[in-house]
Structure formats: structure tokens, C-alpha cells
Amino acid sequence: MQKLNLLKTFLLSMLVITGCTRSQELGFQSEDPTLRGNEKKELFFKQANEMQNSIQIDGDVLLPDNRYHYEGNITIVGNLGSNIEVKAYGGQIHVKGNVGDGSTLRARYPVETKRHYALRPQPFETKSTPDLKAGDLLYPQHLDPAIIVDGIIRRDVKIKSNGSILISNMDETAEIDTRFGVVMVTNLYGGSPDTLKYN
């Protein structure tokens, strides 16, 4: 019995030391009623006929040291606290406020696999030959940024998306990673654009 109690104590202490975070789903399927927000269906692309899920949720209900995810667009009204991870699968994240220290935003737009031709230069030749490649591409209709932050991005924030990213104000310690899109920053504080960490 004593060994069992020691094992429980050890496991609980490891959870505290490692900073165990919970991952919770946003929306009507959430076990926590405060995370259900306001859900609706909206057009996936402005020019499309396809509908997708969208949620609007207050930033105050997203707690530090937690992870949240949603399938569709996420709009966070107000500030997002520190050390919070938010993931949008197949949609956009729009924060209508600030993003706290150490938080992470990840948005993945749907992609389509297409075959496309790229010119491949040949050694010792003056012409290029076409090379057929297959790869994931963003749907061309989806030109909206995948992540938008209207407020300030604080220290050590990580932002990752396969689409474009639009930021109003950002600390120099932020890390930004975009696969297909562009990064637009209105105001960088704490440094120069040379100090940004692009992956």
C-alpha cells in the first residue's frame, strides 16, 4: 500500500513539474458550457457555396496553461491570456484583442492536392524542362488571412499557419511560420524586422 501511495505522489508531482495542459474542444460538443460560445454556419469562401462551422468566444473563458481546438473559424473577442494554445482545423483564427506572453495560435486552411508543372533547369543547357510535381496547395479562392490579430502580440508568442498572417502590433520575440502565405505586420516593437524569427 505504501508503494502505491509513493507511486501516486510521484505521478502527481511529475504532472505538476511538466506543466500538464488540458486540450479541450470548443463549441457545442464541449464538456464545459463556458467553452460552447456562439456557433453558426457561414460561407467557407466568399465566392463558395460550401458552408462551414464558425464560433465566437470570449477570450476570458480561455484559461492559461490550456489548449483549445475547433474545426472551423474561431473568433476570440477580447484578450487571449498567457500560455494558451488555440488551434483551428480547416479555418481561420481572428483575435479581436491582444495575445498574451507565450501563447500559440495555429490555423490550418484546407488544401487541395494538384499536379502542377515547374521549370527545372538542366545542367549545361540553356533551356529549362518542365517537371511534373504533385503537392498540397491552398484553394485559390481563399485569399483571407488564416490568422488575424487586431491587438498586440506579446513576448514569445508562436504563430503558425499554412495561410497568410495579419498582425497589428507585435513584439520582436514572436515566432511566425507560414507555409503558403505572407506575413503582414503593421507595427513591430522591441526591435527591427531583422529580429523576427521566420521558420
Side-chain angles (χ1 to χ4, degrees), residues 122-126:
Q122 297 296 316
F124 308 108
E125 292 185 21
T126 58

Side-chain angles (χ1 to χ4, degrees), residues 76-187:
I76 299 170
V77 179
N79 297 331
L80 182 67
S82 299
N83 299 314
I84 299 172
E85 182 174 343
V86 179
K87 291 183 182 179
Y89 300 107
Q92 176 190 75
I93 297 175
H94 186 171
V95 180
K96 295 183 174 185
N98 301 328
V99 177
D101 294 349
S103 289
T104 302
L105 302 176
R106 296 178 190 269
R108 179 159 172 76
Y109 272 163
V111 294
E112 59 180 346
T113 301
K114 280 191 169 181
R115 295 197 175 277
H116 59 280
Y117 285 94
L119 293 179
R120 181 182 62 198
Q122 297 296 316
F124 308 108
E125 292 185 21
T126 58
K127 62 179 181 177
S128 297
T129 58
D131 184 20
L132 182 62
K133 296 185 175 189
D136 292 336
L137 300 172
L138 286 177
Y139 287 91
Q141 309 94 307
H142 216 306
L143 301 176
D144 296 335
I147 297 177
I148 302 171
V149 178
D150 294 339
I152 298 171
I153 292 180
R154 302 287 184 195
R155 297 188 58 77
D156 301 319
V157 170
K158 292 180 177 69
I159 298 177
K160 184 172 183 175
S161 175
N162 62 349
S164 295
I165 299 169
L166 176 60
I167 300 166
S168 294
N169 297 282
M170 181 175 104
D171 185 85
E172 68 172 348
T173 60
E175 293 184 31
I176 300 175
D177 183 0
T178 179
R179 181 166 179 200
F180 298 116
V182 297
V183 177
M184 298 161 278
V185 179
T186 306
N187 184 30

Side-chain angles (χ1 to χ4, degrees), residues 11 23 29 47 81 94 138 149:
L11 291 174
S23 181
Q29 294 180 348
Q47 304 87 356
H94 186 171
L138 286 177
V149 178

